[in-house]
Amino acid sequence: MKIKYILFPLACVLTFGIISCDIDRLPETQITDPTFWRSENDIRMAANYMYTFLPTLPVTTDVWSDDAFGIGPNPISDGTRLPPSTDGNYNNPYRLIRAANNILQKGPRVLEFGVSQENLDWYLAEARFFRAWAYFGLVQRYGNVPLILETLIETDDKLFAPADPRESVVDIIYADLDFAINNLRTPTRLGESGYGRISNTTAMAFKSRVALFEGTFAKYHQTGDANRHLTLAIAAAKACMDSGEHDLLSSYFDLFQYAGEGRANRENILVRQYGISLSDAVLFHNAQRNLETGAANPTKALVDSYLMVDGLPIEKSPLYETPTRILDDFEDRDLRMAATLFKEGDPYIGTMPLFNVPNLSFQRTGYANRRYANPVDWQNSRSFIDYTIIRYAEVLLNFAEATYELNGTISDEDLNATVNRLRTRAGVANLSNAFASQNDLDVLQEIRRERRVELALEGFRYWDLIRWKTAEIELPKAVLGNYYFEEEFGTAVTPEVNEDNFIVLQRAENRSFDPNRDYLWPLPINELGLNPSLEQNPNW
């Protein structure tokens, strides 16, 4: 089933209007429609509206991190941003929260018109999942934020209350997700016709993401009860793993292709659905064209993190030889590298059927992002490949990392059930405690490496650096690209290179990260003006 992402007028009336000058404020009389909430179709339509808030392709937020660089410097990555006047990262989650609160408040009216309690709870569970989704996005960025659990009129004092503590917001997130886990349907029960809707395993997986973030953030930033969150992360991930609903797709490359779409790919847990064909284009994206022209180019730091097939990093493996041409980089490496980066001979675009070398005018790092590449889609200037937002591989990684962070160790049995399943798919030797000891490897760092390469260019790296409190170490470093092989790249574009002849995108002296400021985002200036009780985050 393709959920129809349609902004029908009634949904707009029901949901718009919250704490921002950018959003229309509507009095309560205008958002109460006596002709609505009279059937299951009504509440389903209201629930469908929340799906329009799911993130879209292409994923370009990795330019905030050390994994990708665009066509120019990024102010989040290099520390030069200023507090914005307005910010959709703040306003849009509150739009979604209002939509969810509206369903939770008014949805029960459908019971009077023959809708069963079970079906009502299903849609209320979707609303609570999306409310949790929105609040987590706010907590990640801003820490303490206003907690609003009901629809409000424009003069309500609660619109002008100070921010609630991070811990209180996270407790609501957990409560919402627990309700969702208990009342959403399984993927099996949803079946083909319900594919694309939030399932109970979606809520489990997302809870493991939230709890891992909060647990490691608390641990490394020395705030809150880290062990509590890490314990919850392990339990949520294990529940998803034990559900029997999900498994890994055999081909990593196909995860980002049409072959990875639909219920047949049990790795999919939460997807943003796009259209089916040119004649049934509900939604489409141009991810390949955006990435082709430099929206998120892989960096040397990311490429160097891919292991050799013997399970060792390039600085330790006897298999590694210094490349003398671009293709050498791919020899005896983790298969995910070739699935993530274009190499010579890969199918490419209409004007160049087979890839040759990265175009330094756009792919400025000398590495080219291969995600969502499809020559037919490129020719049509639109793609319908779905965007998998949560997949089972992340759940396995969440379990492994949370286990190690809580206990300071992880058994080989747990490594085999998580990290090594991913390594097997990638053609890389298994990780064990003995292997790590024999090769002077840090198991936690290897789990983090596995996360980096498995989830590469999917928008995780920046937030991982934030929660591990390593952004202050990694982000101020110079951003480097490929070795400048002049004979292959040519001289049409001559990049800046360092003393070792690697492409320099941004020098270290032009980058900074203030640990007393940059681990939280600045609140938009307009929000501070609208609500004098809000306080700007420290040092902004």
Side-chain angles (χ1 to χ4, degrees):
M1 181 196 76
K2 293 284 183 180
I3 295 172
K4 300 296 184 181
Y5 299 117
I6 300 173
L7 295 179
F8 51 91
L10 180 56
C12 297
V13 171
L14 289 169
T15 56
F16 275 54
I18 192 61
I19 51 176
S20 169
C21 63
D22 290 339
I23 307 170
D24 296 332
R25 296 182 175 217
L26 299 176
E28 183 68 19
T29 54
Q30 288 182 256
I31 60 172
T32 301
D33 187 343
T35 66
F36 204 65
W37 311 111
R38 293 187 170 213
S39 68
E40 184 169 342
N41 187 60
D42 285 352
I43 194 171
R44 187 183 184 90
M45 289 173 66
N48 285 356
Y49 174 69
M50 296 185 294
Y51 285 83
T52 68
F53 287 86
L54 288 174
T56 58
L57 286 171
V59 179
T60 58
T61 53
D62 286 287
V63 299
W64 301 346
S65 77
D66 56 346
D67 273 2
F69 191 86
I71 58 174
N74 180 271
I76 295 175
S77 177
D78 67 17
T80 61
R81 64 175 161 167
L82 298 171
S85 58
T86 61
D87 189 348
N89 291 299
Y90 188 87
N91 302 143
N92 289 335
Y94 277 111
R95 287 190 173 103
L96 176 53
I97 289 163
R98 184 171 181 83
N101 286 342
N102 203 59
I103 291 171
L104 294 170
Q105 180 177 319
K106 299 172 185 171
R109 297 177 189 174
V110 300
L111 291 174
E112 301 172 18
F113 298 92
V115 177
S116 69
Q117 186 69 51
E118 180 188 10
N119 284 358
L120 169 64
D121 288 344
W122 175 22
Y123 296 111
L124 298 183
E126 287 194 340
R128 293 188 70 167
F129 174 87
F130 278 106
R131 185 169 70 179
W133 179 274
Y135 269 121
F136 180 58
L138 289 166
V139 165
Q140 272 190 311
R141 289 170 171 81
Y142 306 106
N144 302 337
V145 293
L147 185 57
I148 300 173
L149 302 178
E150 56 188 318
T151 55
L152 303 175
I153 61 174
E154 61 178 356
T155 58
D156 199 303
D157 289 344
K158 293 178 182 178
L159 288 175
F160 307 98
D164 289 87
R166 180 188 194 119
E167 293 79 8
S168 298
V169 181
V170 173
D171 283 345
I172 292 297
I173 292 172
Y174 288 151
D176 280 349
L177 291 176
D178 286 342
F179 183 89
I181 289 168
N182 291 326
N183 291 281
L184 289 169
R185 297 178 178 177
T186 66
T188 296
R189 185 175 177 190
L190 287 172
E192 290 290 344
S193 63
Y195 178 76
R197 299 204 78 88
I198 305 297
S199 69
N200 69 331
T201 56
T202 311
M204 294 171 191
F206 185 58
K207 186 178 180 182
S208 77
R209 178 187 291 186
V210 173
L212 177 63
F213 188 95
E214 290 302 300
T216 49
F217 191 94
K219 180 175 182 177
Y220 292 107
H221 293 262
Q222 299 183 336
T223 62
D225 187 348
N227 287 353
R228 175 202 174 209
H229 297 297
L230 293 170
T231 300
L232 290 173
I234 293 168
K238 190 67 164 60
C240 187
M241 293 161 64
D242 290 346
S243 72
E245 293 283 352
H246 298 287
D247 203 352
L248 298 178
L249 189 67
S250 60
S251 167
Y252 182 81
F253 177 75
D254 284 348
L255 288 169
F256 314 101
Q257 299 293 318
Y258 288 110
E261 283 199 338
R263 180 160 162 68
N265 176 7
R266 295 175 62 210
E267 189 162 345
N268 291 341
I269 296 180
L270 174 62
V271 300
R272 172 79 185 219
Q273 294 182 300
Y274 287 89
I276 297 171
S277 64
L278 289 174
S279 60
D280 189 7
V282 177
L283 285 178
F284 66 89
H285 61 84
N286 268 319
Q288 181 182 0
R289 286 198 175 225
N290 280 276
L291 297 173
E292 171 206 346
T293 52
N297 303 305
T299 61
K300 181 179 186 295
L302 172 60
V303 173
D304 286 354
S305 66
Y306 286 92
L307 295 170
M308 305 301 292
V309 293
D310 60 6
L312 294 173
I314 59 174
E315 62 270 19
K316 289 180 177 287
S317 175
L319 297 177
Y320 183 75
E321 297 181 2
T322 301
T324 58
R325 61 192 188 111
I326 296 174
L327 267 177
D328 290 346
D329 246 347
F330 296 89
E331 290 294 324
D332 296 321
R333 296 294 283 276
D334 184 324
L335 295 176
R336 290 170 291 197
M337 181 173 159
T340 303
L341 280 67
F342 273 111
K343 65 183 183 304
E344 183 180 336
D346 287 334
Y348 191 39
I349 60 178
T351 55
M352 184 187 294
L354 296 179
F355 189 80
N356 185 9
V357 297
N359 181 343
L360 295 181
S361 295
F362 303 110
Q363 298 147 350
R364 295 192 55 206
T365 62
Y367 296 111
N369 191 332
R370 197 182 176 196
R371 292 294 161 85
Y372 305 98
N374 182 288
V376 175
D377 288 351
W378 185 92
Q379 195 69 35
N380 292 330
S381 293
R382 57 184 62 191
S383 176
F384 309 109
I385 299 173
D386 289 345
Y387 169 27
T388 302
I389 301 165
I390 303 178
R391 55 188 179 90
Y392 188 56
E394 182 199 343
V395 175
L396 300 182
L397 291 165
N398 292 349
F399 179 86
E401 185 183 342
T403 298
Y404 194 97
E405 290 285 11
L406 181 65
N407 303 319
T409 185
I410 185 172
S411 68
D412 287 348
E413 180 182 8
D414 282 341
L415 285 173
N416 288 337
T418 56
V419 168
N420 289 332
R421 294 203 62 204
L422 304 177
R423 288 193 173 198
T424 297
R425 177 167 68 178
V428 175
N430 282 359
L431 175 66
S432 68
N433 285 284
F435 181 83
S437 178
Q438 291 163 6
N439 292 282
D440 195 27
L441 299 173
D442 183 308
V443 174
L444 176 59
Q445 296 307 315
E446 291 308 302
I447 292 172
R448 289 182 177 184
R449 180 202 301 274
E450 193 66 25
R451 181 180 183 88
R452 184 179 192 177
V453 298
E454 174 67 30
L455 304 177
L457 305 178
E458 294 181 56
F460 288 89
R461 177 65 174 173
Y462 171 81
W463 296 114
D464 289 342
L465 297 178
I466 293 296
R467 63 189 178 88
W468 296 332
K469 205 176 184 294
T470 55
E472 63 200 72
I473 299 169
E474 302 301 335
L475 293 187
K477 294 178 180 178
V479 181
L480 302 179
N482 205 345
Y483 188 89
Y484 180 51
F485 297 99
E486 185 174 341
E487 288 188 3
E488 292 184 81
F489 283 119
T491 57
V493 176
T494 303
E496 180 182 356
V497 297
N498 66 9
E499 61 277 10
D500 297 316
N501 209 41
F502 287 100
I503 297 170
V504 177
L505 287 309
Q506 195 173 24
R507 293 187 174 275
E509 56 263 33
N510 296 323
R511 297 175 61 81
S512 66
F513 186 94
D514 183 352
N516 297 312
R517 183 194 69 176
D518 292 335
Y519 281 110
L520 292 176
W521 284 29
L523 291 166
I525 300 300
N526 284 0
E527 298 304 323
L528 301 177
L530 284 167
N531 182 0
S533 297
L534 286 181
E535 296 182 5
Q536 183 58 281
N537 277 323
N539 301 310
W540 283 104

